[in-house]
Amino acid sequence: QAEYLEPLDHAERPGRLPAYDRVIASSDGYVWAQVYESDLAAPHDWDVFDGEGLFRGRVRVLGGFHPFVVNGDVMAGVWRDSMGVEFVRLYRLHK
């Protein structure tokens, strides 16, 4: 029936998008905030803040990689290939 299908044709979309999608607290007191990106497979930027809340820089992460832990100079997470197969990956961070 038309009244049930009408909302699908006129979906409500927010006027604003969130600034950050995920937040990770690293073992050395930094806070990593993933800049919102609607395409989950695209490379993602992470803003890094120190313990006082001061912006310290931005890190670009490969598409398909989803970090879960930042421990000093190592970032650990899951990378998904084009078929959705998951692999645990570790990346060394260079400051």
Side-chain angles (χ1 to χ4, degrees), residues 64 78-89:
V78 173
W79 178 75
R80 289 179 183 87
D81 68 10
S82 60
M83 297 191 61
V85 178
E86 296 180 343
F87 299 88
V88 174
R89 292 231 174 138

Side-chain angles (χ1 to χ4, degrees), residues 21-67:
D21 190 18
R22 297 176 49 218
V23 175
I24 297 174
S26 69
S27 63
D28 55 358
Y30 285 80
V31 174
W32 292 65
Q34 181 180 345
V35 178
Y36 179 79
E37 169 63 53
S38 61
D39 183 0
L40 298 178
H44 287 83
D45 289 330
W46 288 76
D47 286 347
V48 182
F49 301 90
D50 67 13
E52 302 296 319
L54 296 173
F55 178 76
R56 292 300 179 184
R58 181 169 275 186
V59 176
R60 176 155 279 211
V61 175
L62 299 172
F65 179 68
H66 301 279

